[in-house]
Amino acid sequence: MAAESTGTSGAYAAAGVDIAAGERAVDLMKRHVARTRRPEQVTDASGFAGLFRLDTNKYKDPVLATSTDGVGTKVMLAQQMDRHDTIGIDLVAMVVDDLVVSGAEPLFMTDYVACGAVVPERIAEIVGGIAEGCHQAGCALVGGETAEHPGAMEPDEYDLAGAGTGVVEGDAILGQDRVREGDAVIAMGSSGPHSNGYSLVRSIVDRADLDLFAHVPELDGVLGEVLLTPTRVYAKDCVALTAAVEVHAYAHITGGGLAANLARSLPDHLDAELDRSTWAPAPVFGYLADKGGVGREDMEATFNMGVGMAAIVAADDAERALRVLSDRGVPAWRLGTVTAGSGRAVLTGEYRGA
């Protein structure tokens, strides 16, 4: 966890970079990072790089998988609410839940936090959330960077990004080529909008003049806090599911919605027929649609609508898959079936309770 530093330059401080604050931020975040340690980590006293030993005895043909992402404009909502302890979980989820789509187990992550001014306690909160996300995913946080950008960002502004690495056995890589007609599509429930669609969320909040600090009865909570609900981390659950049943593919439901993301995991000659009546989207989606005057087509093209991850499994394993996920505390249901087609995911019917 490095903070930008060039020594103890008074001129640098006058330019807006507080080296002492950066060093204090590093000290505060160390206890969070320590929670994520895995036995494969190798200590590098210099702190310039994170080292991780790959256990080649564990794999016959290890293939490394990598992913990088950010949180998008959800960070602006965190800044408005002055709540910074969960946005890091969103970051980790966006990275590791992409990795597991290939069948990979996430091993480690690095992060990058850019801010207008280093406030040590705030940086520690952000990194604490990243560490919590890594803990949930079972991966190590092996390093990162905190950079102070005075002039480019306002003092209370920040943004964050991360990169993750995982490993999968060469003959166990999941994807389109494994999907078969008749396979079952299993949905895993989301915790809310996750980290996608927040430009539209903020637009709705502004246009409808909504108060982020107001309690909303139909959401059973404060609006801003509901919207900041962290992204569900599916990584460990997907790794466990892959070990227990015949999984053919996963789809991480992010920007573009359920149909577009699931179609990425289908071969050109197969479709996924999905039934809306198998679930009821969380109230937050209906609230946003109503306050923003957003139609179903646009909602479904922007938000996950309650499905954060989908698994395509062998038909005979569908019930077992549901039991595995239920035992792990993941809301899950049979969403649809793979049929002959042209590589599309098609939603039919009406949402439960609509």
Side-chain angles (χ1 to χ4, degrees):
M1 287 295 155
E4 186 182 88
S5 175
T6 61
T8 56
S9 166
Y12 207 19
V17 176
D18 188 338
I19 296 170
E23 291 173 347
R24 174 163 165 74
V26 171
D27 286 338
L28 288 175
M29 67 179 76
K30 283 180 179 178
R31 64 183 177 85
H32 298 299
V33 176
R35 296 180 61 220
T36 74
R37 188 170 182 86
R38 286 179 54 130
E40 301 97 329
Q41 283 180 255
V42 178
T43 300
D44 171 23
S46 74
F48 281 96
L51 305 179
F52 195 94
R53 177 177 287 109
L54 183 63
D55 183 0
T56 53
N57 294 320
K58 185 177 177 182
Y59 304 94
K60 294 179 294 184
D61 178 25
V63 175
L64 295 178
T66 186
S67 177
T68 187
D69 211 336
V71 183
T73 63
K74 191 174 184 178
V75 297
M76 299 174 69
L77 185 63
Q79 290 157 27
Q80 286 178 272
M81 296 294 294
D82 193 25
R83 181 174 178 184
H84 316 287
D85 58 335
T86 61
I87 201 73
I89 300 174
D90 293 292
L91 175 66
V92 175
M94 290 296 98
V95 173
V96 299
D97 288 342
D98 276 356
L99 287 176
V100 295
V101 169
S102 67
E105 175 193 359
L107 297 177
F108 59 85
M109 270 194 68
T110 57
D111 63 36
Y112 178 81
V113 181
C115 59
V118 171
V119 178
E121 292 76 15
R122 183 171 62 205
I123 297 298
E125 280 190 75
I126 295 168
V127 175
I130 297 171
E132 172 60 25
C134 287
H135 179 70
Q136 292 180 23
C139 68
L141 182 58
V142 299
E145 173 73 8
T146 302
E148 197 166 17
H149 292 167
M153 306 176 80
E154 294 298 319
D156 289 336
E157 289 182 341
Y158 62 83
D159 199 4
L160 57 160
T165 298
V167 64
V168 59
E169 195 69 72
D171 62 2
I173 297 172
L174 304 179
Q176 298 176 351
D177 59 318
R178 292 177 177 256
V179 178
R180 299 288 181 266
E181 186 173 355
D183 282 353
V185 183
I186 303 296
M188 299 182 216
S190 70
S191 57
H194 283 180
S195 298
N196 301 105
Y198 276 81
S199 292
L200 178 55
V201 169
R202 291 185 303 103
S203 175
I204 293 170
V205 169
D206 289 344
R207 286 188 286 110
D209 196 24
L210 303 177
D211 182 359
L212 290 172
F213 296 91
H215 184 274
V216 180
E218 56 263 52
L219 300 182
D220 193 28
V222 173
L223 176 59
E225 293 178 358
V226 171
L227 293 174
L228 279 179
T229 300
T231 305
R232 186 184 294 273
V233 178
Y234 300 96
K236 278 186 175 180
D237 305 307
C238 289
V239 169
L241 186 63
T242 303
V245 306
E246 187 181 332
V247 177
H248 293 162
Y250 287 111
H252 186 196
I253 313 306
T254 55
L258 175 57
N261 281 284
L262 188 54
R264 296 167 60 181
S265 296
L266 297 171
D268 291 340
H269 66 286
L270 294 175
D271 283 354
E273 294 186 358
L274 313 176
D275 184 358
R276 292 187 186 93
S277 71
T278 59
W279 88 100
V284 66
F285 296 108
Y287 179 84
L288 290 170
D290 178 60
K291 296 300 182 181
V294 184
R296 186 174 73 181
E297 183 177 350
D298 283 337
M299 289 293 294
E300 291 181 343
T302 305
F303 300 108
N304 64 59
M305 298 303 290
V307 181
M309 181 74 75
I312 302 176
V313 307
D316 291 345
D317 271 349
E319 292 304 316
R320 187 177 178 197
L322 292 174
R323 288 196 300 272
V324 169
L325 293 169
S326 176
D327 288 346
R328 297 185 62 82
V330 180
W333 62 95
R334 182 158 181 166
L335 176 63
T337 304
V338 175
T339 64
S342 55
R344 301 184 307 145
V346 182
L347 283 158
T348 61
E350 301 295 328
Y351 290 117
R352 186 183 300 164

